[in-house]
């Protein structure tokens, strides 16, 4: 055997070999991390791009940029400042009566180009509502715009745009806000505390606008001696347009323009009194504010969020109670027809597409007048998948627990309720999470069963968004809605991560 | 343990809510669907039996034929893609590295968000002037640089491996340490060439492709796969890969490490190890993943419904969507046709599962 033994290699070579191997290991880890970062980018990229773009003025901007002014401290500060000037505060923004906002614009006009100042004006903005257009008052009908030169360096000249919104009344007193109520012979408003008061129009300016104001128009009133005088409507937005002359170009402005048209000479500023919410989270605010239901004045989007939560909650509660009962019976109780029930009602039911049951269930729920959240809940009361999950879990628990309970004289129900269910914590959490996720993301059944847009869940509402705004390319609203509806599941996922990861994989290997 | 009679009563009591709701919303509904599929029901009349006529009518409907083709192609392509990618990613993830938990959660994100949200985001990404087209434009612009880099990488790697082998070290062609050096060297060379003006980004017109239009991949004049459906395939693969990857990961953890050690001793390459150790051992999981994938993809509905009128209907219609549109068609709803189509869909899925079980049995059973 000695002949076959390899001669001992000299020590230095071994060391070099070791180092060579170690280097390889390190390099391998490096490549692996690089690969995983690329894959993370691939899987998170669409969401991150969607999130960033949902804050842009124009999510369809081409070429797309990653640096967006809406997240730059400098512009955030200015948006805050403009909101304060408008009277609505740095966060909410808006233009209130009696306030003046200044906005700086500087224009480059090279030699040979006209040296005239640009023109500035407010322009109308009407939200495109889902169901009807609420014709809110426009800042352009109430505020005056003036443009004054403030100097310049070289080719660049600066101008100050002043938007002044005089109050409609000269009364002084406590200033309150409210919303106008349904129009009758006299104007009245519902204050923030719910009180409805008649509104007095004491100046010709105020009287001139009384027929232009619609229901739900937010207004500011002055209370003096028990009477409420109209100070003026409140504008959430102050859209400003600046047109420069041919040959001139915009050098800078307080906020970057939202839109450039006419070869960059016509500059639109979506809102010069945005506040931070109106600047960075404008699309999110629009999702809530521009979907008002004309009958109630309530935000449809908000209703959908509530509906989704209600449906998810109902589903979770029903699943936790009924799936664990059924799962326990299938796992531990002995009774005739057990196998038939398991294969027929649990496995087969999971395999057959839900479209088969579409017609019958729709007709049934329609006859029962249950084409709403309750019908939706009723339809998916006990999920076969949940029963399967609980059955697997209970099968894995030690029998001794039940036996000792049985010796102590406990019946099956007591055993289940007092002994088994308290042990089932992790499985119940997993069940609750999968059911929450399933209900929140459910689309087919809500689309079939929910017929009225006040009953929609978020998924159906969002697909409605697509129909209504997608054609116009208004992806800001669609993306904001999509991101908002993804947030609850992501939060649940971040908190209960390991349950997500565990349940699926376990059932795969066992199943 | 418990007395038998008592136990039976209790069991049925425990199962009552589940059985009742399944009986009403599944079995009764299923039976009624079968019944409707042999009648002339249209939501407003009282159904009359008319035999197999609805089935013949459905099968003759060009829209149904398109839906059937689309569904089958979608199911096969998507299931294949997602299974392969999930397996490869699971193998890559199965290394014990720091921060693996983070990557796992990050990759899992597409699986937890709703298909509606992801469809909306994909609609936006694949707009005419969207990010997908932008990235393709960028790729075209920098193609010369990328090619230069890749050629440099391969050349440097070959030179290095040959040198290593001459000095007696058993370097593989894919040696990671050498590849890192090659990548660095190639990067420097490419930068140098750009600086010298030999190569550089090209001027290309913006890639301007409309994905959601009536465009088809045809084979011999037969429309096989539409471009909008291809986008949905990409999206579906993107969302399902992470979940399926977890199934594979769980399976990988059950493969004894000794098998890999034995393969290492035999001098197997990573590819050989994948094909001869990993894949055979993962057969039960693969079986499950393919079954789940087929059941899921055959029922594809959400994406079609969300995209809706944004793409021509023929390009995206699937069986599930065909059932839905026929049930709620304005005017007289041909519910009997919808029911017949639904039954065909159910039979197809059951047949697929059966074939899978019959001919590709899982070794774990």
């Amino acid at each position: 055997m000695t002949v076959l033994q390899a001669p001992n290699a000299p020590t230095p070579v071994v060391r070099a070999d070791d180092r060579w191997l170690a280097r390889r290991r390190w390099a391998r880890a490096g490549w692996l991390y690089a690969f995983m970062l690329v894959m993370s980018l691939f899987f998170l990229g669409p969401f991150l791009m969607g999130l960033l773009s949902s804050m842009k003025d124009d999510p369809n901007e081409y070429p797309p940029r990653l640096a967006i002014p809406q997240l730059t401290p400098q512009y955030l500060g200015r948006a805050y400042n403009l909101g304060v000037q408008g009277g609505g505060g740095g966060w909410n923004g808006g233009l209130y009566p009696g306030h003046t906002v200044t906005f700086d614009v500087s224009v480059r006009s090279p030699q040979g180009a006209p040296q005239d100042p640009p023109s500035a004006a407010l322009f109308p903005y009407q939200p495109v509502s889902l169901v009807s257009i609420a014709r809110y008052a426009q800042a352009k009908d109430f505020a005056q715009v003036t443009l004054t030169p403030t100097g310049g360096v070289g080719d660049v000249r600066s101008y100050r745009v002043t938007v002044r919104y005089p109050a409609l009344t000269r009364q002084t007193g406590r200033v309150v806000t409210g919303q106008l109520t349904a129009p009758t012979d006299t104007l009245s408003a519902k204050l923030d505390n719910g009180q409805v008061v008649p509104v007095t129009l004491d100046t010709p300016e105020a009287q001139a606008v009384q027929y232009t104001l619609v229901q739900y128009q937010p207004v500011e009133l002055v209370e003096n001696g028990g009477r409420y005088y109209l100070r003026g409507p409140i504008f959430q937005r102050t859209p400003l347009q600046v047109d420069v002359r041919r040959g001139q170009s915009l050098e800078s402005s307080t906020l970057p323009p939202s839109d450039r048209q006419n070869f960059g000479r016509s500059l639109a500023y979506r809102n010069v009194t945005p506040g931070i919410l109106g600047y960075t989270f404008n699309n999110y605010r629009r999702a809530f504010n521009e979907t008002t239901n004309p009958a109630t004045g309530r935000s449809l989007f908000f209703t959908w969020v509530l509906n989704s939560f209600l449906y998810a909650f109902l589903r979770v509660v029903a699943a936790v109670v009924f799936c664990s009962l059924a799962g326990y019976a299938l796992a531990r109780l002995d009774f005739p027809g057990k196998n038939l029930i398991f294969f027929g009602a649990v496995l087969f039911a999971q395999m057959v597409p839900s479209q088969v049951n579409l017609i019958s269930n729709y007709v049934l729920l329609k006859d029962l007048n249950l084409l709403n959240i309750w019908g939706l809940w009723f339809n998916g009361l006990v999920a076969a998948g949940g029963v399967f999950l609980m059955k697997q879990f209970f099968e894995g628990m030690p029998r001794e627990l039940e036996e000792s309970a049985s010796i102590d004289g406990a019946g099956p129900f007591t055993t289940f309720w007092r002994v088994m269910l308290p042990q089932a914590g992790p499985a119940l959490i997993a069940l609750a999470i999968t059911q929450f996720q399933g209900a929140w993301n459910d689309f087919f059944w809500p689309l079939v069963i929910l017929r009225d847009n006040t009953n929609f869940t978020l998924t159906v509402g969002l697909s409605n968004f697509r129909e209504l705004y997608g054609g116009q390319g208004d992806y800001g609203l669609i993306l904001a809605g999509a991101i908002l509806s993804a947030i609850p599941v992501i939060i649940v996922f971040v908190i209960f991560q390991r349950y997500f990861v565990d349940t699926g994989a376990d059932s795969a290997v066992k199943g | 343990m418990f007395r038998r009679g008592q136990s039976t009563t209790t069991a049925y009591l425990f199962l009552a809510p589940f059985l009742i709701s399944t009986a009403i919303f599944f079995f009764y509904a299923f039976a009624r669907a079968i019944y409707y599929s042999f009648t002339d029901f249209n939501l407003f009349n009282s159904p009359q039996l008319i035999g197999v006529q609805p089935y013949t009518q459905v099968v003759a409907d060009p829209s149904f034929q398109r839906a059937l083709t689309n569904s089958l192609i979608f199911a096969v392509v998507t299931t294949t893609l997602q299974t392969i990618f999930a397996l490869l990613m699971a193998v890559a993830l199965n290394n014990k590295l720091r921060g693996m938990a983070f990557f796992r959660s990050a990759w899992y994100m597409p699986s937890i968000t709703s298909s509606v949200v992801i469809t909306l985001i994909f609609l936006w990404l694949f707009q005419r002037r969207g990010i997908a087209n932008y990235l393709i434009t960028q790729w075209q612009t920098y193609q010369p640089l990328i090619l230069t880099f890749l050629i440099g990488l391969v050349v440097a790697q070959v030179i290095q491996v040959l040198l290593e082998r001459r000095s007696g070290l058993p370097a593989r062609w894919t040696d990671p340490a050498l590849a890192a050096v090659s990548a660095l060297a190639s990067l420097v060379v490419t930068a140098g060439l750009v600086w010298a003006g030999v190569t550089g980004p090209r001027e290309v017109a913006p890639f301007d492709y409309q994905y959601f239009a009536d465009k088809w991949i045809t084979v011999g004049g037969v429309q096989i796969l539409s471009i909008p459906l291809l986008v949905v395939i990409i999206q579906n693969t993107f969302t399902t890969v992470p979940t399926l990857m977890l199934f594979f990961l769980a399976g990988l953890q059950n493969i004894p490490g000794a098998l890999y050690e034995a393969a290492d001793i035999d001098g197997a390459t990573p590819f050989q190890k994948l094909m001869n150790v990993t894949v055979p051992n993962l057969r039960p999981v693969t079986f499950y993943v393919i079954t789940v994938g087929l059941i899921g993809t055959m029922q594809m509905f959400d994406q079609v419904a969300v995209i809706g009128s944004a793409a021509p209907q023929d390009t995206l219609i699937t069986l599930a969507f065909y059932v839905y549109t026929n049930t709620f068609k304005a005017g007289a709803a041909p519910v009997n046709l919808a029911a017949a189509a639904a039954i065909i869909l159910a039979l197809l899925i059951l047949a697929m599962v059966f074939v899978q079980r019959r001919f590709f049995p899982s070794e774990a059973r």
Side-chain angles (χ1 to χ4, degrees), chain A residues 412-471:
Chain A
F413 185 76
T414 322
T415 311
F416 169 73
W417 187 248
R418 289 282 167 85
V419 180
M420 297 304 274
L421 206 58
Q423 300 287 321
L428 287 181
I429 294 177
L431 176 70
I433 289 166
T434 46
Q435 289 297 313
F436 174 82
Q437 190 205 353
W440 188 268
N441 292 344
D442 196 4
F443 180 63
F444 177 70
W445 283 116
L447 186 70
V448 168
I449 291 171
L450 307 175
R451 298 272 120 192
D452 190 0
N453 68 7
T454 52
N455 280 334
F456 282 178
T457 58
L458 208 42
T459 46
V460 184
L462 277 178
S463 85
N464 220 5
F465 261 27
R466 213 288 306 149
E467 269 165 47
L468 289 155
Y469 299 101

Side-chain angles (χ1 to χ4, degrees), chain A residues 338-369:
Chain A
K338 184 167 152 176
N339 277 334
L340 187 72
I341 290 177
F342 179 64
F343 283 107
V346 180
L347 291 186
F348 185 63
Q350 278 182 290
M351 246 177 260
V352 171
S354 46
Q355 282 77 21
V356 175
N357 310 332
L358 152 69
I359 301 143
S360 173
N361 292 357
Y362 173 74
V363 172
L364 184 74
L365 291 171
K366 194 176 147 203
D367 290 345
L368 294 173
N369 263 333

Side-chain angles (χ1 to χ4, degrees), chain B residues 110-260:
Chain B
S111 287
I112 55 159
T113 36
S114 76
S115 50
V116 175
V117 166
I118 297 176
T119 309
L120 290 176
I121 293 181
F122 265 70
L123 261 173
W124 169 71
L125 289 176
F126 282 86
Q127 282 183 91
R128 191 157 190 182
R129 289 231 141 180
I131 289 171
N133 276 348
Y134 174 75
L135 289 179
I136 294 176
T137 313
Q138 293 300 300
W139 155 256
Q140 289 176 341
T141 308
Y142 290 101
Q143 225 169 23
L145 294 188
I146 296 168
L147 275 180
T148 317
F149 173 76
L150 287 180
I151 292 170
L153 181 70
V154 171
V155 170
Q157 182 76 1
V158 168
I159 294 173
Q160 285 200 84
V161 170
L162 290 180
L163 283 178
E164 290 278 305
R165 285 190 178 173
R166 262 181 65 180
S167 59
L169 290 165
R172 288 218 184 91
W173 291 112
T174 54
D175 189 282
L178 299 183
V181 178
S182 305
L184 210 66
S186 181
L187 205 66
V188 172
V189 170
T190 312
L193 287 176
V194 172
W195 181 76
V198 179
T199 176
R202 290 194 295 176
E203 282 284 325
V204 290
F207 191 76
D208 191 13
Y209 192 83
Q210 207 178 342
Y211 293 91
F212 295 98
D214 201 1
K215 289 180 181 163
W216 293 82
I217 297 171
T218 55
V219 174
V222 182
Q223 295 180 329
I224 299 290
L225 176 65
S226 73
I227 300 298
L229 196 62
L230 188 66
V231 174
V232 178
I233 288 177
I234 296 173
Q235 185 213 317
N236 216 300
T237 311
F238 171 82
T239 50
T240 44
V241 159
T243 325
L244 302 181
M245 177 196 79
L246 282 183
F247 295 159
F248 279 124
L249 260 179
L252 280 173
Q253 251 119 58
N254 293 345
I255 298 179
L259 288 178
Y260 288 106

Side-chain angles (χ1 to χ4, degrees), chain A residues 127-464:
Chain A
V128 190
S129 171
L130 273 177
V131 276
S132 76
I133 295 167
R135 295 231 159 255
Y136 288 126
Q138 295 292 321
K140 77 174 179 58
D141 301 326
F142 291 82
Q144 290 106 40
V145 179
T146 49
L147 185 112
T148 47
T150 52
V153 182
D155 285 346
V156 178
R157 296 185 185 197
S158 311
Y159 301 92
R160 168 154 294 172
V161 180
T162 310
V163 179
R164 205 169 63 80
Y165 177 17
L168 293 178
T169 177
R170 275 172 286 283
Q171 296 284 345
T172 51
R174 194 166 65 94
V175 176
V176 291
T177 56
Q179 276 190 346
L180 292 185
T181 53
T184 50
D185 295 349
T186 55
L187 205 58
S188 53
K190 187 178 172 190
L191 301 186
D192 290 341
N193 58 19
Q195 188 191 354
V196 177
V197 296
V199 176
T200 312
L201 305 163
D202 66 332
T203 58
E205 299 91 65
Q207 280 152 16
V209 300
Q210 81 157 304
Y211 297 108
T212 65
L213 301 176
V214 295
Q215 195 184 1
Y216 305 124
Q217 170 68 52
V219 288
E220 207 172 57
L221 305 166
V222 176
E223 191 213 352
N224 191 353
R227 298 181 71 171
Y228 290 87
Y229 300 92
L230 180 67
R231 206 168 130 79
I234 298 167
F235 308 109
Q236 198 177 48
R237 295 165 163 259
T238 317
L240 177 77
Q241 184 182 349
V242 174
D243 289 293
V244 300
R245 310 289 166 200
R246 191 183 289 274
Q248 299 180 338
S249 60
L250 179 79
E251 182 71 12
S252 69
S253 50
T254 308
L255 292 178
S258 320
D259 190 26
R260 294 164 184 263
Q261 300 228 319
N262 195 7
F263 306 102
R265 296 209 310 276
S266 189
L267 310 155
Y269 299 89
R270 197 169 62 178
N271 190 356
V272 293
T273 53
I276 286 175
L277 285 179
Y279 191 57
T280 306
F281 299 104
N282 179 52
N283 287 322
Y284 292 83
R285 204 163 71 169
R286 283 179 62 208
F288 285 103
N289 288 349
E290 289 182 14
T291 54
T292 34
N293 180 356
T296 58
R298 275 187 58 178
S299 160
L300 277 176
F301 189 83
F302 186 62
T303 317
W304 300 338
V305 173
L306 290 185
N307 285 344
S308 272
F309 271 115
L310 176 66
Y311 173 47
F313 173 76
L314 290 173
R315 269 270 297 264
V316 168
V317 171
V320 165
V321 176
F322 298 140
C323 290
S324 54
L325 276 174
Y328 178 71
L330 284 175
R332 281 301 162 80
L333 298 180
D334 192 23
F335 58 96
K338 184 167 152 176
N339 277 334
L340 187 72
I341 290 177
F342 179 64
F343 283 107
V346 180
L347 291 186
F348 185 63
Q350 278 182 290
M351 246 177 260
V352 171
S354 46
Q355 282 77 21
V356 175
N357 310 332
L358 152 69
I359 301 143
S360 173
N361 292 357
Y362 173 74
V363 172
L364 184 74
L365 291 171
K366 194 176 147 203
D367 290 345
L368 294 173
N369 263 333
L370 274 177
L371 291 183
N372 54 29
I373 290 283
W374 303 100
L376 182 60
W377 173 59
F378 197 44
N379 181 52
L381 192 64
V382 192
V387 175
F388 185 73
L389 181 80
M390 292 313 288
K391 175 186 176 282
Q392 297 287 84
F393 177 79
F394 282 125
E395 271 175 355
M397 276 175 74
R399 279 202 177 267
E400 287 76 17
L401 275 173
E402 286 162 300
E403 277 157 14
S404 61
S406 169
I407 289 163
D408 289 347
F413 185 76
T414 322
T415 311
F416 169 73
W417 187 248
R418 289 282 167 85
V419 180
M420 297 304 274
L421 206 58
Q423 300 287 321
L428 287 181
I429 294 177
L431 176 70
I433 289 166
T434 46
Q435 289 297 313
F436 174 82
Q437 190 205 353
W440 188 268
N441 292 344
D442 196 4
F443 180 63
F444 177 70
W445 283 116
L447 186 70
V448 168
I449 291 171
L450 307 175
R451 298 272 120 192
D452 190 0
N453 68 7
T454 52
N455 280 334
F456 282 178
T457 58
L458 208 42
T459 46
V460 184
L462 277 178
S463 85
N464 220 5

Side-chain angles (χ1 to χ4, degrees), chain A residues 20 31 33 336 441 466 504 511, chain B residues 12 98 112 164 176 247 307 365:
Chain A
W20 189 72
W31 284 110
Y33 273 118
N441 292 344
R466 213 288 306 149
Chain B
Y12 278 105
R98 271 169 200 278
I112 55 159
E164 290 278 305
F247 295 159
I307 293 171
R365 273 154 217 281

